[in-house]
Amino acid sequence: MRLPFRRRAVPPDRSGGGGPPDSDRSTPSASQAPDRSDDHAGHALRAPSRLHAFNRYEIKYLMSSTAVPVLRKELARRLDADSHGIGGGYGVWSVYYDTRDLRFYWEKIEGLRFRRKLRVRHYGDRSTVDDDSTVFVEIKQRVNRVTQKRRVALPYHLARDLCDRREMVAHEPGQRAFLEEVLDLLCRLDLRPVAMTGYQREAFVGRGAEAGLRVTVDQRVRGRDRDFDLGADAENRLIIPARLAVVELKANERIPYWLTDLAAELNMSVVRISKYCQSVEAFDRAPRSVFHVSDDDPSGTPVPAAARSEA
């Protein structure tokens, strides 16, 4: 039986001034397509750069894992496969930082119009992570219906110096303002690692008129609430039932009709799910909210006939 989520009063300075920090004003508009100069069909947003910033709209769905082959086949007809994930996809591992009272978690649960989170993310096999592996320090925030991301690529040892030891690190020109913002959040809010998530991702990217479109399919969503070293040989457990996949549709301006029609045809359920919040609740750091996906949740269970014949 689920516990109702609790509501919390919002302190006057919850958003550090009521809106995005000044550095956000330089982020590109939602109509600008992300830079794909390194690989037009790849994960350009993962390319190391001085500072990468972008805006987009996102819709999340849950679907039965048994229907993924049908979705994959339909997406391959209209979109290009992410060249970094050909042959089974790639791992995505993230360490999330929050306050002692889980301020960022509650901002998401309460649906604040301006909210954000800080994380360190690695793409690939976590067993290969060492001090020199490239990771990304990222601030992801929501402003009304638009998702904004700003991130820098750093060697893992520098990311830990910044986020765990709260020290300014060597950086390239153009990165300092963002790193100072990260340090301000860490020190002012006393942030610390709270949860870790990992999953296997397949990604598809738009071409031509749909160049800003991106679809990701995440399976085997796992997590842990301790041993936050990205390369640690630590035990993870499923935080979303293995029978379900999380599908995200991401676009600079709007999701094309053919894609939303496909989601309806495959019985995909729109959800307000957060992998970070799911991990927090799975390890009993907070009561399970109305958004929590549990083993007995029927969401995503229906499997269309096409998926049954494909399996």
Side-chain angles (χ1 to χ4, degrees):
M1 179 178 177
R2 295 186 198 163
L3 295 173
F5 69 87
R6 57 188 173 103
R7 311 288 293 189
R8 300 175 70 245
V10 181
D13 66 342
R14 289 279 282 204
S15 60
D22 290 343
S23 57
D24 289 345
R25 296 172 187 167
S26 62
T27 58
S29 68
S31 61
Q32 289 178 293
D35 177 21
R36 296 182 182 276
S37 57
D38 67 312
D39 179 356
H40 79 282
H43 194 337
L45 302 180
R46 197 165 75 236
S49 61
R50 293 178 179 175
L51 174 63
H52 191 94
F54 64 97
N55 298 354
R56 67 187 179 197
Y57 297 95
E58 298 181 353
I59 303 177
K60 292 182 181 179
Y61 294 86
L62 276 181
M63 71 179 301
S64 170
S65 294
T66 57
V68 168
V70 178
L71 175 64
R72 183 188 298 122
K73 181 178 179 180
E74 292 300 317
L75 292 176
R77 291 177 55 241
R78 306 284 294 258
L79 306 174
D80 293 328
D82 184 325
S83 61
H84 291 85
I86 293 176
Y90 51 87
V92 181
W93 296 91
S94 305
V95 176
Y96 289 87
Y97 289 73
D98 209 333
T99 63
R100 291 182 183 275
D101 63 352
L102 303 178
R103 167 177 171 163
F104 296 160
Y105 165 85
W106 286 110
E107 287 180 349
K108 166 64 177 178
I109 295 299
E110 294 168 356
L112 296 194
R113 291 190 175 184
F114 173 68
R115 58 183 184 268
R116 57 189 164 186
K117 64 183 74 167
L118 173 68
R119 65 191 179 197
V120 175
R121 171 165 285 190
H122 171 71
Y123 295 90
D125 185 349
R126 68 186 177 94
S127 67
T128 65
V129 175
D130 58 26
D131 283 349
D132 296 321
S133 297
T134 298
V135 300
F136 295 85
V137 176
E138 178 177 286
I139 293 177
K140 181 178 181 180
Q141 61 193 37
R142 180 92 166 193
V143 181
N144 293 321
R145 296 177 56 246
V146 179
T147 298
Q148 300 177 340
K149 273 190 186 180
R150 286 165 299 135
R151 70 196 319 183
V152 294
L154 293 173
Y156 188 30
H157 70 95
L158 291 185
R160 285 182 303 197
D161 286 344
L162 176 71
C163 296
D164 296 334
R165 301 179 185 92
R166 303 179 186 181
E167 300 172 356
M168 178 56 72
V169 297
H171 55 275
E172 298 179 16
Q175 289 183 343
R176 186 172 186 87
F178 176 74
L179 295 178
E180 287 178 343
E181 182 183 348
V182 171
L183 272 178
D184 175 67
L185 281 175
L186 287 160
C187 296
R188 179 165 51 85
L189 301 180
D190 191 23
L191 303 181
R192 73 280 318 285
V194 166
M196 184 170 175
T197 64
Y199 40 89
Q200 195 69 9
R201 166 165 285 182
E202 294 179 78
F204 300 83
V205 294
R207 54 179 178 261
E210 295 179 343
L213 178 65
R214 181 172 173 81
V215 180
T216 58
V217 183
D218 299 333
Q219 299 187 80
R220 298 180 59 234
V221 184
R222 292 149 285 164
R224 64 177 185 258
D225 63 346
R226 63 199 70 193
D227 300 323
F228 294 120
D229 187 322
L230 282 168
D233 184 19
E235 182 180 0
N236 296 284
R237 80 179 196 204
L238 289 169
I239 58 174
I240 292 177
R243 61 184 175 81
L244 298 176
V246 179
V247 180
E248 296 185 41
L249 314 184
K250 311 168 187 183
N252 292 337
E253 294 183 346
R254 66 175 182 83
I255 307 297
Y257 291 119
W258 69 263
L259 194 48
T260 53
D261 289 345
L262 177 61
E265 180 182 334
L266 295 179
N267 292 337
M268 294 163 57
S269 305
V270 177
V271 290
R272 202 184 121 188
I273 190 174
S274 159
K275 298 183 184 78
Y276 167 58
C277 294
Q278 188 76 14
S279 185
V280 166
E281 294 169 4
F283 291 100
D284 298 322
R285 295 290 303 271
R288 295 192 173 188
S289 70
V290 295
F291 310 114
H292 187 83
V293 181
S294 59
D295 286 327
D296 59 356
D297 194 309
S299 299
T301 332
V303 182
R308 289 196 293 270
S309 61
E310 185 79 16

